[in-house]
Amino acid sequence: QFRFTPPTHAMLAFRQALDEHEAEGGVAGRGGRYAANFQVLKDGMKEMGFELLCPEDVQGTVISTFLFPDDANFDFQQFYTELAARGHVIYPGKLTKADCFRLGNIGRVFESDMHNLVSAIRDVLVKMDVSLPVKQIEV
């Protein structure tokens, strides 16, 4: 029982989320999809010269951080804007020691979405005339 008008829309959304989680196989099923998304992203970024910031023994499958390319043609704002125009929203890094960006591997995204993201990143870097494979900045 609620003291005031119950948030029925939130309750229905939560019920739907639980149903979808269960239909996907629970934590193991959802975690498997996240791991597959991460692998596509990691492999695709590696092909372009990017390495994960975190060592693999502590890297999770939820979000991945990559250092900026060490290339005078790389401009993060243009990179961000071009990817957003293609339907991909990335996150600026929040590190104090190095310029970086973060890519999410979770949510209602699948391996095909991660392939599309990697392809968009490659296209934007080529458009910016960033040399591939990239050399990343030093930390």
Side-chain angles (χ1 to χ4, degrees):
Q1 188 66 326
F2 292 87
R3 183 173 177 193
F4 300 106
T5 304
T8 55
H9 60 292
M11 293 167 54
L12 290 172
F14 185 55
R15 174 77 262 158
Q16 181 64 34
L18 289 174
D19 289 345
E20 290 178 18
H21 185 262
E22 183 178 337
E24 193 169 0
V27 172
R30 182 78 46 96
R33 178 165 57 85
Y34 293 168
N37 287 347
F38 168 71
Q39 194 63 49
V40 169
L41 178 64
K42 182 177 101 169
D43 293 347
M45 294 298 283
K46 187 171 189 140
E47 285 178 16
M48 290 183 278
F50 288 97
E51 295 291 336
L52 292 161
L53 178 67
C54 293
E56 290 207 31
D57 63 327
V58 297
Q59 173 67 49
T61 60
V62 174
I63 196 160
S64 303
T65 303
F66 298 94
L67 295 171
F68 282 5
D70 188 7
D71 190 305
N73 293 325
F74 181 78
D75 175 81
F76 179 75
Q77 191 57 51
Q78 181 184 356
F79 184 65
Y80 178 91
T81 301
E82 293 278 350
L83 288 172
R86 290 167 168 77
H88 302 284
V89 178
I90 66 171
Y91 308 97
K94 299 292 184 190
L95 301 177
T96 58
K97 294 183 179 182
D99 291 324
C100 59
F101 59 94
R102 299 175 298 149
L103 304 173
N105 310 312
I106 65 169
R108 189 105 178 117
V109 294
F110 302 89
E111 288 181 62
S112 61
D113 299 303
M114 301 314 285
H115 284 291
N116 290 337
L117 171 60
V118 168
S119 180
I121 288 171
R122 182 178 292 108
D123 291 347
V124 169
L125 292 172
V126 167
K127 181 177 180 181
M128 294 172 68
D129 202 27
V130 171
S131 295
L132 293 176
V134 302
K135 291 182 178 137
Q136 292 177 280
I137 62 171
E138 298 289 326
V139 179

